[in-house]
Amino acid sequence: MALLKKDKREPVRIQLKKNDQVKVIAGRDKGKTGRVLDVDSSTGKILVEHVNMIKRHTRKNPAKQIAGGIAEKEAPVAVSNVMILCGKCGAVRIKHHVVQVAGGKSRRTRVCHKCGQVLDKK
Ligand SMILES: [Zn+2]
């Protein structure tokens, strides 16, 4: 039942991408910054490096080369609890700019809401 509900839910539009530098603005790790490791639009959550760390007690499994013991790993955080970092302004909202590319095509780039600096690497 719970699974069915999750599947029916509409995907969340996430403006963040892997390798973005983000700042946590709410929750246990408020104020921390880190790199986005993974984005999941079906749950609206992302993984941020060294943010929301949890301990997993794992049993060792020599066949799969798992050492066992207590492993620390990142747990997903809601996208609404993080903001992207602009090099100049810090945590900012994202604005989209449409850029004309050669051949009459256009492409959307993400820019800083405050200073207009392009946030996409390419
Ligand atoms: Zn900026």
Side-chain angles (χ1 to χ4, degrees), residues 86-90 92 112-117 119:
C86 166
K88 277 190 235 164
C89 323
V92 289
C112 168
H113 196 89
K114 271 188 190 165
C115 68
Q117 187 182 295
L119 298 168

